[in-house]
Amino acid sequence: MNDQVRTAVRGMRGLAVAPDGRSVLAAITETTANGGLPHLWLLAPNAQPRQLTFRTGERGESDGTFAPDGSILFLATTSGTKSLYRLPATSGEADRLQFGKTDGTVTAHWGGVAVKDALSIAGYNTSPDGRTLAVWADDAEAAAIKARRDRKDDGYAHDIPDKRKHLYLVDAVTGAARMVPLDGAFTGADWTYDSAELIITTDPENDETGPDARFWRVNAATLKPTPIDLPRTASGVALLPGRARLVYSDQCAEDAPPGCTYISVKDLGTGQTRNLTRGFEGDMPSGYEVLPDGDLAMAIGTRTRSRLARLSTKTGVVTWLPSTEQPVAYALTSNPRHSGWAYIATGPTKPPTVMLMPGLGAKSVALATPPLTPSNWPQVASRVVTWQNEGLTIEGLLYLPKVAPGTKVPLVVNVHGGPAGRFQDDYSPLVQMLVAEGWAVFQPNIRGSTGYGAKFTAANKNDLGGADYRDVMTGVDAMLKSYPIDADRMALIGYSYGGEMAGFVVGKTDRFKAIVSGAPVINQLSEYGTEDGTFYDRWYYGKPWLNFTDAWRQSPLSTAGNAKTPFLLLQGEKDVTDPLGQSMEMYRALKQSGAPVALVIYPREGHGDTGGSFRGAASQEPWHGVDLRRRMFGFLRDAFAGKVDPLAPARQDNP
């Protein structure tokens, strides 16, 4: 598969349903080869997709939604300032919300003369009745601070909460704005079903001391905020019809890592809370649609699937909806009247497809989009496989190329991130590219994965690189026993926690011919002190200075001296989730231990950027994705071919 084909991939970022329920707005990126910028497209049954926006801003257009009159709102960045735009329902140019604040006075109106001290809008949310927009934005930099920075007197105190972000209510017709009087680091705003209030989330502290979310009800008329007594770990807070109950998602009741969530309902009269989904063996979301009867519509992940469902907020009963023949459905959304529902469906041989339903659970219709993947890409079916290890049934996905009788093929084992993540039975550009090379691909959902219940997700506590590593290896043995795989030509790849697992593997076995580690954690102690957030890692092994032995045992660096297998590290330079220093530590350890190693660094990229290139997703750094896959695939090819120095292609920079 050549680079031209590999870069002909688009992505999809969010859906919105038109007021009449008959069409869908989707943000679809250009192909990687064309820059990967998102633009808005209108999709409808029995119609060709129509592109509505082109180059409104330097970074494309995003966060599109409909106003009740059919006009379209979206965000775009111009001259470094992100602004809200309104595109008429008929045709014409988009109006820009001129939005600024000078000496505490807010000026806002649609179109016309640009305002002084324009604010950069971080996000917005439209009230269900369409009359008011909740807009959150950062104040412009204070003149005194700018002057200091210009003269390079720019030292700053670390970890001081940023008070510059504020919430405003904007009249959808005139653009007039009022500022909501709330302190703290503003993080979100959701309208109640009747447009009378907003549920506001602030986080006055940060991850250093653990989750610290605060919740408020803000009256849309008076702007008066009233605090809501909820756990600091809650999210997805919504007022249910009747105004007597709140629903929210929160950390699992069992001892489980952040990311394991249940859904609870709080009676506002009595203050009593009921956990609706405790014990449910699935991946409960923090986002959902509230229905008129108080039930919730959502997509729930179970094992390798994601399905549309209805959750009763009275009984906790989950009712699965007959939404799609594909194993994965997600991004469920509707309009305020619930006159139409849209979601994305995908499967191992079916790229993401936008589906439209006239009612929740009604027969869905596939909507045409611009091609998301090249038409000549292979579409390889998956096999759901299971095996046993240390008291647990482990599940995974296996993909096989066409195999001639008596022939065995190389195997690439891919380990997911998290570790509280999972592989779904969806369409994977990375899998398709690997299988196109003639290689089998094995993706295990090892202990610690989501979608199998809280107990399974928590099964790797204080045991990273332990039983989960053995889940991988026993899975490999099970695949070798049952399928035509060459035990002498195997490789392991992974990103984030998958990259960390690659680090464990290289120090514990020499069964693989090649290992690829993307953005790994290598040293739990130094990672904990330099990453952007620690609360997630803290659950697994505690504070490392108090649990030094456990933290070191769960660091791939502790066994790096045993490494023999050629090892490729892939790292974004600006990654603050798993910082560059982690890959540097592994590179130095392997280099000084005499193990074959190469490290490739991608400037300007954070954790998600390089991860997208690793997975074959659309990218705004098209040459980085081409380069990463050229190096990784060249390394795997040479390793399977038995070359003396299989890392040579990975070390070779393009001229």
Side-chain angles (χ1 to χ4, degrees):
M1 191 180 292
N2 61 40
D3 287 335
Q4 183 176 3
V5 173
R6 285 177 178 157
T7 57
V9 177
R10 287 183 170 95
M12 191 144 45
R13 302 182 180 182
L15 306 175
V17 179
D20 62 5
R22 297 178 181 177
S23 58
V24 174
L25 187 69
I28 298 175
T29 67
E30 298 172 334
T31 65
T32 299
N34 290 328
L37 292 176
H39 302 297
L40 301 181
W41 290 71
L42 189 66
L43 316 176
N46 303 313
Q48 290 299 308
R50 181 161 63 97
Q51 187 171 350
L52 300 179
T53 63
F54 293 83
R55 294 274 174 156
T56 306
E58 296 110 356
R59 302 173 189 171
E61 303 81 41
S62 62
D63 299 272
T65 191
F66 287 96
D69 64 359
S71 60
I72 292 168
L73 303 170
F74 63 90
L75 296 179
T77 301
T78 305
S79 301
T81 300
K82 184 180 285 187
S83 299
L84 182 64
Y85 288 81
R86 180 176 61 186
L87 185 67
T90 51
S91 62
E93 294 295 321
D95 283 336
R96 182 179 184 178
L97 180 65
Q98 303 295 346
F99 189 44
K101 184 163 68 172
T102 304
D103 298 327
T105 301
V106 180
T107 303
H109 54 80
W110 289 106
V113 179
V115 299
K116 184 180 179 182
D117 299 326
L119 302 181
S120 188
I121 296 174
Y124 75 101
N125 202 334
T126 308
S127 64
D129 63 14
R131 297 176 181 175
T132 311
L133 308 174
V135 174
W136 47 102
D138 288 328
D139 287 350
E141 187 176 50
I145 295 175
K146 183 179 185 303
R148 283 183 52 210
R149 185 165 51 80
D150 289 345
R151 65 176 183 264
K152 297 186 178 179
D153 176 18
D154 53 359
Y156 63 93
H158 172 64
D159 199 32
I160 301 300
D162 186 357
K163 300 291 187 180
R164 293 197 303 139
K165 188 182 269 52
H166 297 287
L167 174 67
Y168 304 85
L169 297 193
V170 177
D171 186 288
V173 176
T174 67
R178 300 173 292 156
M179 190 173 82
V180 176
L182 266 179
D183 292 329
F186 173 79
T187 57
D190 292 289
W191 288 94
T192 56
Y193 65 94
D194 55 6
S195 302
E197 295 179 276
L198 293 104
I199 305 294
I200 308 297
T201 306
T202 63
D203 190 349
E205 299 298 331
N206 52 49
D207 183 68
E208 294 297 335
T209 55
D212 194 34
R214 312 289 175 89
F215 305 95
W216 312 80
R217 291 172 68 172
V218 173
N219 185 291
T222 66
L223 303 187
K224 179 182 178 181
T226 303
I228 308 172
D229 182 20
L230 290 175
R232 300 291 173 86
T233 50
S235 61
V237 182
L239 183 68
L240 295 177
R243 310 184 66 81
R245 300 182 299 154
L246 280 173
V247 64
Y248 62 94
S249 64
D250 193 22
Q251 181 70 21
C252 285
E254 297 90 343
D255 184 21
C260 177
T261 58
Y262 287 150
I263 295 177
S264 297
V265 168
K266 181 171 184 174
D267 187 299
L268 295 175
T270 65
Q272 293 183 334
T273 297
R274 180 186 178 190
N275 189 321
L276 295 174
T277 60
R278 182 168 185 169
F280 183 84
E281 292 192 357
D283 192 7
M284 282 291 166
S286 58
Y288 24 74
E289 291 275 347
V290 177
L291 300 174
D293 63 359
D295 283 0
L296 307 178
M298 61 182 69
I300 301 176
T302 57
R303 300 181 177 272
T304 61
R305 302 188 66 186
S306 285
R307 302 165 64 188
L308 303 186
R310 184 179 185 126
L311 172 67
S312 170
T313 58
K314 295 179 180 178
T315 65
V317 171
V318 171
T319 303
W320 300 109
L321 302 177
S323 54
T324 174
E325 295 179 355
Q326 298 301 324
V328 174
Y330 62 98
L332 178 66
T333 189
S334 187
N335 56 26
R337 295 173 53 205
H338 295 148
S339 60
W341 292 81
Y343 63 96
I344 298 174
T346 180
T349 62
K350 184 72 171 179
T353 303
V354 178
M355 310 296 292
L356 181 64
M357 299 183 290
L360 188 63
K363 183 177 177 58
S364 57
V365 177
L367 306 183
T369 66
L372 301 183
T373 57
S375 59
N376 60 345
W377 266 30
Q379 295 181 355
V380 180
S382 63
R383 302 175 187 224
V384 178
V385 293
T386 60
W387 64 100
Q388 301 292 318
N389 182 49
E390 299 174 37
L392 291 180
T393 299
I394 314 299
E395 192 172 56
L397 295 163
L398 180 68
Y399 306 82
L400 291 171
K402 292 182 179 179
V403 182
T407 302
K408 292 188 176 183
V409 297
L411 175 68
V412 177
V413 181
N414 184 22
V415 181
H416 66 64
R422 67 189 172 104
F423 285 118
Q424 299 187 90
D425 197 12
D426 57 7
Y427 189 87
S428 166
L430 174 61
V431 166
Q432 301 301 328
M433 286 188 278
L434 291 168
V435 176
E437 297 283 342
W439 308 331
V441 179
F442 173 47
Q443 300 195 140
N445 279 339
I446 54 181
R447 69 189 65 206
S449 300
T450 58
Y452 296 83
K455 183 178 179 181
F456 191 91
T457 303
N460 60 347
K461 184 172 186 178
N462 204 28
D463 192 34
L464 301 176
D468 56 358
Y469 158 75
R470 296 188 292 276
D471 289 344
V472 173
M473 300 309 297
T474 55
V476 168
D477 289 337
M479 299 308 104
L480 289 171
K481 183 177 180 180
S482 301
Y483 299 97
I485 294 167
D486 188 346
D488 293 325
R489 291 187 296 163
M490 298 194 301
L492 184 138
I493 66 175
Y495 194 83
S496 196
Y497 187 69
E500 184 175 342
M501 179 59 72
F504 288 124
V505 167
V506 77
K508 295 185 176 187
T509 182
D510 59 1
R511 293 179 61 184
F512 296 100
K513 296 298 182 184
I515 298 176
V516 180
S517 174
V521 176
I522 295 302
N523 182 343
Q524 302 291 3
L525 290 91
S526 59
E527 160 86 356
Y528 193 91
T530 57
E531 64 184 330
D532 195 35
T534 62
F535 184 71
Y536 180 82
D537 290 347
R538 198 179 313 169
W539 180 86
Y540 288 94
Y541 52 81
K543 298 172 184 175
W545 58 88
L546 299 178
N547 301 284
F548 182 91
T549 301
D550 287 341
W552 182 244
R553 169 176 54 83
Q554 294 170 86
S555 299
L557 193 62
S558 66
T559 56
N562 303 327
K564 298 177 183 178
T565 306
F567 196 85
L568 172 60
L569 288 150
L570 303 168
Q571 181 71 49
E573 185 180 54
K574 300 299 183 182
D575 194 334
V576 295
T577 301
D578 294 323
L580 172 61
Q582 294 297 299
S583 287
M584 296 290 289
E585 287 193 47
M586 191 62 166
Y587 178 81
R588 180 165 294 172
L590 296 182
K591 197 76 172 175
Q592 295 184 3
S593 298
V597 62
L599 167 60
V600 182
I601 301 170
Y602 293 97
R604 300 177 298 281
E605 290 199 350
H607 195 71
D609 301 318
T610 307
S613 292
F614 179 88
R615 294 186 297 274
S619 169
Q620 294 182 27
E621 292 274 6
W623 293 113
H624 284 181
V626 170
D627 184 81
L628 183 149
R629 293 185 289 274
R630 174 184 64 81
R631 295 179 194 259
M632 179 168 70
F633 280 68
F635 170 42
L636 296 176
R637 289 188 201 105
D638 281 10
F640 291 148
K643 295 290 184 67
V644 174
D645 181 16
L647 283 166
R651 296 193 193 95
Q652 179 62 52
D653 294 341
N654 269 329

